[in-house]
Amino acid sequence: FLADDFLKNMEKFDKEEPVYLYCRSGNRSAKAAAQLSEMGFKQIIDLKGGYKAWKDFAEK
């Protein structure tokens, strides 16, 4: 997401196929999801709260 060529590289993916995103806290993946949505990706699955939230939930 932070790479200069992120959008260029994402153009290689099929916009009709699901894209799964996650990061540590959910902040970067949410921003990436917004960009992908603007690019026309149809199915974007973003792990809300990131890996940290998932790990905390799994440990309960």
Side-chain angles (χ1 to χ4, degrees):
F1 165 73
L2 298 175
D4 291 337
D5 58 353
F6 172 75
L7 297 178
K8 180 181 175 185
N9 286 329
M10 292 309 296
E11 286 291 339
K12 299 173 187 174
F13 289 89
D14 183 348
K15 293 178 181 176
E16 301 297 323
E17 292 293 322
V19 176
Y20 295 85
L21 303 172
Y22 70 93
C23 66
R24 188 180 74 68
S25 68
N27 186 37
R28 287 168 294 179
S29 62
K31 291 177 183 177
Q35 283 191 324
L36 294 178
S37 179
E38 289 178 19
M39 291 174 68
F41 282 82
K42 306 292 184 211
Q43 299 179 53
I44 304 166
I45 297 90
D46 181 17
L47 181 61
K48 303 296 181 202
Y51 175 78
K52 187 175 181 330
W54 175 81
K55 184 179 173 194
D56 291 345
F57 177 79
E59 290 176 352
K60 290 182 181 180

